[in-house]
Amino acid sequence: MSNVRSILVVDDDVELASALAEQLALHEEFAPQTVDTAAKALAFVKDDRVDLALMDVGLPDMDGREAVKLMRRNGFRSPIIMLTGHDSESDTVLGLESGANDYVAKPFRFSVLLARIRAHLRQHEASEDAVFTIGHYTFRPSAKLLVAENGSKLKLTEKETAILRFLYRAGEKVVTRDVLLAEVWGYNSNVTTHTLETHIYRLRQKIERDPSNAQILVTEAGGYKLLP
């Protein structure tokens, strides 16, 4: 949890892939992984959670754009940024039509790529396709759903979903009761902290193994936060 994003780098240029992974790993918000073929990328996104993929066009076993089409067809919804040595308009159009979200021509500045990665992650997190990890659950805000590791599903109310989404976006920072009230209920004079505390209590009954000893949604310093 704690807002660490899994980034998959798909490129058969080992030096470039390693350099990208090293640069990304310098930022605590990212957990990079590298693979060098389309087949490995398809297997990886099937078995592991990936928040964003950097996909080279010229892969040894398949055109990267065809790999993107397959990934989308198989249900991969996270952002994909294509990396290519070709930057013609037709190449860009082909890349975007394959299902990629962006197209970056090599050579590129890492700072520019980093800005695009962050922008696409922010945009995706606000979308209906966003999926997060909270404790031992997969959180699907659009479906108001928590899915446990064993596959069991917990249905959430709209307010419970909003509380978890806001706390998740805060990382491991404490969110005060007043801020959470304003974000979830708006500035409604009829809503008190007691209302919030009631929702937190009910949420813990759903998600905590031992609600009296919270390990996921904890109370701290006048507010609440989520723990990884």
Side-chain angles (χ1 to χ4, degrees):
M1 206 223 29
S2 68
N3 288 358
V4 175
R5 312 289 190 265
S6 171
I7 310 293
L8 181 64
V9 181
V10 188
D11 201 313
D12 63 328
D13 182 334
V14 177
E15 287 188 11
L16 175 62
S18 297
L20 274 176
E22 286 176 12
Q23 292 269 17
L24 288 166
L26 293 175
H27 301 266
E28 291 183 357
E29 68 202 272
F30 301 125
Q33 300 283 342
T34 64
V35 294
D36 57 5
T37 67
K40 289 178 184 176
L42 288 164
F44 195 98
V45 299
K46 180 181 178 183
D47 296 333
D48 293 88
R49 166 81 182 283
V50 173
D51 294 299
L52 181 142
L54 299 173
M55 175 79 68
D56 184 37
V57 169
L59 295 170
D61 56 339
M62 185 187 299
D63 186 300
R65 291 165 294 205
E66 291 303 314
V68 169
K69 286 181 183 177
L70 287 173
M71 288 165 68
R72 294 304 192 204
R73 202 174 298 155
N74 293 339
F76 185 73
R77 295 287 176 263
S78 297
I80 299 174
I81 298 177
M82 302 219 70
L83 308 176
T84 179
H86 308 286
D87 61 350
S88 70
E89 184 176 329
S90 60
D91 279 305
T92 303
V93 170
L94 285 171
L96 296 175
E97 285 185 346
S98 71
N101 299 82
D102 207 345
Y103 208 76
V104 177
K106 301 175 184 177
F108 49 80
R109 286 177 170 236
F110 179 75
S111 59
V112 173
L113 179 63
L114 181 62
R116 291 195 181 191
I117 288 171
R118 286 174 170 158
H120 283 292
L121 286 169
R122 284 195 303 271
Q123 187 176 3
H124 179 70
E125 286 178 5
S127 76
E128 291 296 300
D129 293 324
V131 177
F132 309 112
T133 300
I134 293 179
H136 50 278
Y137 296 101
T138 298
F139 177 38
R140 301 178 182 274
S142 63
K144 300 184 181 68
L145 202 64
L146 284 173
V147 183
E149 292 171 332
N150 63 6
S152 63
K153 297 177 180 179
L154 291 173
K155 194 66 179 169
L156 301 170
T157 67
E158 184 176 342
K159 295 300 187 206
E160 289 168 348
T161 301
I163 289 168
L164 286 181
R165 184 195 282 268
F166 191 77
L167 289 176
Y168 179 87
R169 286 180 172 166
E172 290 184 50
K173 296 176 183 175
V174 176
V175 178
T176 66
R177 291 178 177 87
D178 287 343
V179 168
L180 203 48
L181 271 172
E183 290 294 333
V184 176
W185 278 270
Y187 291 96
N188 185 335
S189 59
N190 295 323
V191 177
T192 66
T193 55
H194 177 70
T195 301
L196 172 61
E197 288 161 3
T198 300
H199 278 77
I200 294 290
Y201 173 81
R202 289 174 180 165
L203 197 45
R204 282 180 176 148
Q205 296 297 313
K206 288 184 178 180
I207 70 175
E208 299 283 0
R209 290 191 171 107
D210 177 5
S212 64
N213 182 27
Q215 300 296 312
I216 300 173
L217 203 178
V218 300
T219 303
E220 191 173 308
Y224 306 100
K225 73 175 184 178
L226 293 174
L227 293 180

